[in-house]
């Protein structure tokens, strides 16, 4: 039975100009999309792919990519539309790169909505507002996540972890140019972590 289905898919692909990939089952196409840096844009490639990116548990919100050749809508407009389409799928990975006129209120809103579902495994934030004294204060609940494995923060992010924070699943932590609430902020953040360093990590 399965071989007949596969045969029909291949025959249909040959009639459509040899697009065999689009004849694959949904779960395989979703797996393929999960490896692309901007899966949202692949929806323009084929009508077969259009509904699939909304089923991904990975969301890459990169201002540079989403606003490429875009002169009508703002970054917030684009993300709001995307968020509406994807809000039924709990996110495992959220990446936000907003480095031109970032509006912290929106980032905080998206972040709280994602953390609330308690399945997030990777969070990558790179934000810049052009105002030195502004910074995104991370939600308190983030510091007690049992699912986060990867945390990457860059630029205007305010690190103020509670003294009893706990991230038992965290394995990768990258902090670049973030702002610290006080001299104990980093040590508080790291107190529950086991740091591992290889020889290749050392720079002389």
């Amino acid at each position: 039975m399965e071989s007949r289905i596969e045969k029909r898919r291949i025959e249909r692909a040959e009639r459509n100009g040899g697009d065999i990939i689009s004849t694959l089952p949904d779960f395989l196409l979703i797996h393929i999309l999960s490896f692309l840096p901007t899966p949202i844009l692949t929806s323009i490639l084929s009508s077969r792919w259009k509904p699939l990116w909304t089923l991904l548990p990975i969301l890459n919100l990169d201002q540079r990519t989403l606003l490429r050749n875009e002169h009508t809508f703002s970054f917030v407009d684009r993300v709001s539309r995307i968020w509406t389409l994807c809000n039924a799928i709990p996110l495992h990975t959220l990446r936000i790169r907003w480095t031109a006129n970032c509006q912290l209120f929106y980032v905080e809103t998206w972040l709280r909505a994602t953390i609330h579902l308690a399945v997030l495994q990777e969070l990558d934030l790179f934000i810049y507002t052009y105002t030195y004294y502004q910074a995104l204060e991370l939600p308190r609940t983030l510091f007690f996540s049992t699912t986060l494995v990867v945390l990457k923060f860059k630029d205007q992010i305010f690190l103020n972890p509670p003294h009893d924070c706990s991230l038992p699943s965290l394995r990768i932590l990258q902090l670049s140019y973030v702002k610290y609430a006080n001299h104990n902020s980093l040590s508080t953040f790291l107190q529950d972590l086991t740091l591992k360093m290889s020889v290749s990590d050392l720079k002389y």
Side-chain angles (χ1 to χ4, degrees):
M1 178 67 177
E2 291 183 0
S3 61
R4 289 200 298 270
I5 294 175
E6 289 299 322
K7 184 178 180 180
R8 286 199 293 270
R9 282 176 179 160
I10 294 174
E11 291 174 348
R12 185 166 64 251
E14 290 175 346
R15 291 195 299 270
N16 293 333
D19 184 9
I20 296 178
I21 292 181
S22 291
T23 67
L24 294 173
D26 284 359
F27 76 93
L28 284 179
L29 293 177
I30 291 173
H31 185 66
I32 292 171
L33 284 172
S34 69
F35 290 96
L36 301 179
T38 51
I40 297 159
L41 301 184
T42 63
S43 61
I44 67 175
L45 298 179
S46 168
S47 59
R48 172 75 174 88
W49 295 68
K50 284 183 178 179
L52 296 180
W53 65 264
T54 63
L55 303 177
L56 283 172
I58 300 172
L59 200 54
N60 294 292
L61 304 175
D62 190 326
Q63 184 183 36
R64 300 168 305 172
T65 304
L66 290 179
L67 296 186
R68 185 177 297 161
N69 300 321
E70 175 61 69
H71 306 289
T72 303
F73 299 101
S74 68
F75 182 63
V76 172
D77 292 332
R78 295 296 305 275
V79 173
S80 297
R81 173 61 175 165
I82 292 166
W83 207 270
T84 300
L85 294 173
C86 299
N87 64 0
I89 305 298
L91 293 178
H92 291 171
T93 299
L94 175 62
R95 302 186 185 102
I96 300 176
R97 183 187 178 102
W98 191 356
T99 57
N101 300 317
C102 176
Q103 299 177 56
L104 298 179
F105 168 78
Y106 291 103
V107 179
E108 182 179 356
T109 300
W110 302 330
L111 187 54
R112 289 186 182 278
T114 304
I115 295 174
H116 175 70
L117 297 176
V119 296
L120 192 64
Q121 297 175 10
E122 178 177 348
L123 178 62
D124 187 344
L125 301 178
F126 179 10
I127 59 176
Y128 191 72
T129 66
Y130 293 126
T131 303
Y132 177 79
Y133 296 103
Q134 285 187 321
L136 174 70
E137 185 161 0
L138 300 167
R140 178 183 172 85
T141 51
L142 182 144
F143 297 102
F144 296 93
S145 170
T146 59
T147 59
L148 275 169
V149 177
V150 178
L151 278 178
K152 298 179 181 180
F153 299 141
K154 186 172 183 178
D155 268 331
Q156 290 175 282
I157 296 170
F158 187 66
L159 195 63
N160 187 24
H163 72 278
D164 56 344
C165 68
S166 177
L167 296 163
S169 300
L170 192 63
R171 295 295 178 270
I172 297 175
L173 174 64
Q174 290 184 8
L175 303 174
S176 302
Y177 306 107
V178 299
K179 301 179 185 300
Y180 299 98
N182 53 63
H183 66 280
N184 293 322
S185 297
L186 184 58
S187 59
T188 300
F189 198 29
L190 299 179
Q191 66 182 351
D192 193 48
L193 305 179
T194 299
L195 300 182
K196 296 181 180 180
M197 181 177 291
S198 65
V199 175
S200 60
D201 295 323
L202 300 176
K203 296 181 179 179
Y204 299 94

